[in-house]
Amino acid sequence: MKQLWAPWRLEYVAAADEQEGCVFCLAEAGDDEERLVVHRGERAFVLLNKFPYASGHLMVAPKRHVGELGGLDADEALEIHRLAVQGMAALMEAFGPQGYNLGWNLGRIAGAGIVDHVHMHVVPRWAGDTNFMPVLADVKVLPEALAETRRKLAAGWPLAG
Ligand SMILES: [Zn+2]
């Protein structure tokens, strides 16, 4: 079992401490393209991770600023899971991944960059992706790749159902 290894995330964790405000609340209130929001639901929304483990790495967050997983109400918890499933369908349509990792990083020790607004990760996986992922860290390529990925996933988002 290979470990995901993403050195640029160290920069992200350091930057998250210095940032003014919560990136999820800023995204919730902000512009889709600027904040990399892919889809907005009723109580939750989906955005691209700016510092991804893999191309197409999505995060699903409640609109409310909730720091505890147990603080989500039943409607929020259900919608986050439904949006994660829709996100996998959009990823399949756009990029055809071979698998996914879905999960919650709760607490800084568990790898959470943002600890006070819970969010679920949806990470698409391909065979050998630990080998090509470092390429994504190229700062010259990444912003355009993110904008294009956001556009593709937003355009290919499935109808709710
Ligand atoms: Zn927040």
Side-chain angles (χ1 to χ4, degrees):
M1 187 84 181
K2 284 180 188 169
Q3 291 287 322
L4 285 174
W5 185 70
W8 60 93
R9 289 190 53 81
L10 294 174
E11 184 191 333
Y12 167 56
V13 169
D17 279 336
E18 290 160 19
Q19 182 150 351
E20 291 281 322
C22 166
V23 296
F24 295 100
C25 289
L26 289 169
E28 203 282 308
D31 176 72
D32 284 2
E33 288 184 16
E34 187 191 346
R35 297 292 177 179
L36 299 173
V37 175
V38 174
H39 183 81
R40 294 177 189 271
E42 218 176 298
R43 295 175 178 82
F45 67 108
V46 184
L47 67 164
L48 274 177
N49 191 331
K50 205 173 173 183
F51 298 88
Y53 286 122
S55 184
H57 177 172
L58 298 173
M59 299 184 295
V60 189
K63 291 186 176 180
R64 282 197 307 136
H65 186 81
V66 178
E68 300 288 332
L69 189 57
L72 296 174
D73 66 31
D75 289 335
E76 288 168 331
L78 177 62
E79 188 172 1
I80 287 167
H81 277 79
R82 292 177 69 101
L83 290 176
V85 170
Q86 291 170 19
M88 289 192 292
L91 285 165
M92 182 56 74
E93 176 76 19
F95 303 114
Q98 295 166 305
Y100 306 89
N101 290 111
L102 269 69
W104 303 81
N105 300 333
L106 302 172
R108 188 57 58 83
I109 193 71
I114 308 293
V115 294
D116 55 1
H117 192 141
V118 290
H119 50 280
M120 185 183 197
H121 292 270
V122 178
V123 183
R125 301 299 306 272
W126 291 266
D129 57 10
T130 49
N131 296 325
F132 86 74
M133 271 195 293
V135 174
L136 298 172
D138 187 329
V139 290
K140 288 175 198 150
V141 175
L142 195 53
E144 285 133 71
L146 284 169
E148 175 63 12
T149 298
R150 193 211 69 81
R151 195 195 56 73
K152 265 191 192 167
L153 293 175
W157 198 265
L159 297 172

